[in-house]
Amino acid sequence: MPARRPSPRRAWRELSHQDRELLSLTAWEGLDTAQIAIVLGCSRNAVRIRLHRARARFERLLSTAEDVPGRAVGLTPAAAPRFAALKEERS
């Protein structure tokens, strides 16, 4: 019997709160790194590094999950294109 793969929703939940926050601010709120730096009270470079690492962790979790972008992680139809754009950025 093949091992059961985690769903994208589960992969999202497995991310740390900080990773989910960064990815949400970028993908769903549409903020750039400078705006996120203001919100989080850190440098723009720190945001870029943290965002890169959060995307890499999410990608690792998704690589074992079914590829159902957007809908499976509970995105609204309006947010799904931004989620797809986020995936494209990482490619």
Side-chain angles (χ1 to χ4, degrees):
M1 177 176 204
R4 188 172 182 194
R5 297 184 298 175
S7 70
R9 180 175 286 167
R10 184 174 181 170
W12 178 257
R13 285 192 308 253
E14 288 180 16
L15 287 172
S16 70
H17 172 74
Q18 292 84 4
D19 285 351
R20 288 191 310 267
E21 181 177 50
L22 275 171
L23 294 172
S24 295
L25 289 172
T26 301
W28 299 315
E29 298 300 327
L31 301 181
D32 62 25
T33 55
Q35 294 167 321
I36 295 171
I38 292 168
V39 170
L40 299 180
C42 60
S43 72
R44 185 176 175 195
N45 196 47
V47 170
R48 291 176 65 217
I49 292 167
R50 291 178 191 174
L51 190 54
H52 172 78
R53 291 175 181 168
R55 287 173 174 158
R57 283 187 283 269
F58 193 40
E59 181 65 31
R60 278 194 299 275
L61 290 169
L62 284 175
S63 69
T64 61
E66 296 176 24
D67 189 14
V68 184
R71 186 169 153 248
V73 293
L75 296 179
T76 64
R82 289 188 293 235
F83 181 76
L86 176 64
K87 282 189 78 170
E88 284 295 315
E89 280 183 35
R90 289 183 284 136
S91 298

